[in-house]
Amino acid sequence: MAGILRACASVAALEQGKQVHADIIKIGFELDVSVSNGLVDMYGKCGRIEDAQEVFSKLLEPDVASWNAMISGLAQHGCGKEAVLLFEQMLQTGVKPNQITFVVVLSGCSHAGLVDEGRNYFDSMTRDHGISPKAEHYSCMVDLFGRAGCLDEALNFINQMPVEPNASVWGSLLGACRVHGNIELAERAVEQLIELTPENPGTYVLLSNIYAAAGRWDDAGKVRKMMKDRSVKKEPGCSWIEVQNKVHPFIVGDSSHPQIEEIYETLETLTLQMKAAGYIPNTNFVLHDVEEEQKEWILGHHSEKLAIAFGIISTPPGTTIRVVKNLRVCGDCHTATKFISRIVSREIVLRDTHRFHHFKDGQCSCGDYW
């Protein structure tokens, strides 16, 4: 049962996970710690953090894995302060944290911008708990500094590491450079990443996107040519939504779905309503050297927008729409989804590679920090 729950969690299969939960109750496994931990993890990764908390609260003697799963779920949902409070509660109960505990609590600090708290917890690993930091802890710290815009501090941290920084560490720095538009530092990170993992397409794509966002189209083109010469293929952006036990995937500008015309019509109507409410398409997120009108068309048909529109026309009014994306949600789609949630009076839960976003009444749970 724990293994099945892990499978459901990995692909955000909420409905199947709920069915497994029902079977667990029938069989009588609900008080088994490993199964309960699996439920906490599954609900957290499927966007139902309240259900994860309910399962966790019923554990009579949660072990360190239980605490880790709950803290991780809170971190993924942007509840950094709650994750920190839960970690402190864990310490008070006498449960000893392990290396994974510090990965998830540092991740929670990173997603919530809690730089000082993250720095203190990192220092306490060795000082108070006798745990030597591993590569993933250093990566979390670089991510923490980078997301907060402290790129110089992130670089200084890397330079002072007692071990050789790996691809994860440099990847965290590169991601921060993409968010804050630091081309010089991005190029340095890419040099290291290409040397460590030359086959990873994400490195080339991020650098190309950074150049494109800065209008350096020639440089962006050189990076894409480098990818072609080295036979490195980019993973296409894809979003999917489950409706009536069927998964519906979408890519940008999709034309394959049987209801695509209705989906496009719904998006056109939504776009007019959003613009009337103050929405302005941010074409800076279209990383192609094309005319402005074409940029707006591409932007309006990003995969997550298509999935959301399909969810609107395929589910009853008031139903929560749950979408999963294999890449980081772009800034314009994030803004647009806030408008859509208010217009259609729906909660929209979007899981990307970094975290969960809960859109409701024109606001997002991340507070525009992700």
Side-chain angles (χ1 to χ4, degrees), residues 145-163:
F145 295 136
R147 285 181 191 272
C150 307
L151 296 178
D152 290 338
E153 187 169 359
L155 182 59
N156 290 335
F157 184 84
I158 292 174
N159 292 334
Q160 294 172 14
M161 284 173 53
V163 296

Side-chain angles (χ1 to χ4, degrees), residues 195-338:
E195 184 176 335
L196 292 167
T197 55
E199 74 289 346
N200 183 4
T203 300
Y204 303 89
V205 171
L206 273 176
L207 181 60
S208 175
N209 290 349
I210 291 170
Y211 283 142
R216 292 171 56 172
W217 302 109
D218 289 343
D219 289 327
K222 289 177 183 176
V223 176
R224 288 194 293 271
K225 184 178 184 302
M226 188 189 306
M227 291 179 66
K228 185 176 180 181
D229 292 343
R230 299 183 181 185
S231 300
V232 178
K233 294 185 178 181
K234 172 189 175 184
E235 180 184 13
C238 179
S239 298
W240 59 94
I241 180 173
E242 182 180 344
V243 176
Q244 295 181 349
N245 293 321
K246 183 178 179 181
V247 175
H248 299 261
F250 295 91
I251 59 173
V252 62
D254 208 332
S255 60
S256 61
H257 196 278
Q259 292 176 256
I260 198 63
E261 290 187 8
E262 187 179 0
I263 292 170
Y264 280 173
E265 289 175 2
T266 301
L267 272 180
E268 288 177 9
T269 301
L270 284 172
T271 300
L272 291 174
Q273 292 174 310
M274 287 192 293
K275 288 182 176 179
Y279 164 71
I280 301 174
N282 188 344
T283 54
N284 289 330
F285 289 101
V286 179
L287 304 174
H288 302 280
D289 190 12
V290 294
E291 296 297 326
E292 195 70 16
E293 184 176 341
Q294 189 175 355
K295 283 186 178 183
E296 189 167 332
W297 188 92
I298 294 171
L299 198 65
H301 297 83
H302 274 188
S303 64
E304 53 265 62
K305 289 190 178 85
L306 296 175
I308 290 169
F310 176 70
I312 291 171
I313 64 176
S314 304
T315 57
T319 304
T320 298
I321 297 172
R322 301 179 185 278
V323 174
V324 180
K325 185 174 183 181
N326 66 335
L327 302 175
R328 183 181 188 270
V329 62
C330 88
D332 181 78
C333 286
H334 190 272
T335 299
T337 306
K338 289 196 293 184

Side-chain angles (χ1 to χ4, degrees), residues 13-14 24 47 53 82-83 90 101 137 144 157 206 221 226 244 279 284 287 341 343:
L14 175 61
I24 287 169
Q53 289 173 308
E82 291 85 346
M90 171 187 172
T101 311
H137 302 106
L144 171 70
F157 184 84
L206 273 176
M226 188 189 306
Q244 295 181 349
Y279 164 71
N284 289 330
L287 304 174
S341 69
I343 290 169

Side-chain angles (χ1 to χ4, degrees), residues 151-195:
L151 296 178
D152 290 338
E153 187 169 359
L155 182 59
N156 290 335
F157 184 84
I158 292 174
N159 292 334
Q160 294 172 14
M161 284 173 53
V163 296
E164 195 70 22
N166 64 6
S168 177
V169 171
W170 288 112
S172 295
L173 182 63
L174 179 59
C177 292
R178 166 70 178 92
V179 172
H180 298 286
N182 190 317
I183 296 177
E184 182 180 350
L185 195 53
E187 291 172 335
R188 179 172 174 180
V190 166
E191 286 180 9
Q192 299 295 327
L193 284 165
I194 290 178
E195 184 176 335

Side-chain angles (χ1 to χ4, degrees), residues 21 36 39-40 43 50-59:
H21 190 180
S36 292
L39 285 168
V40 172
Y43 279 124
E50 299 86 357
D51 290 336
Q53 289 173 308
E54 183 178 351
V55 173
F56 179 80
S57 68
K58 293 178 180 179
L59 279 167

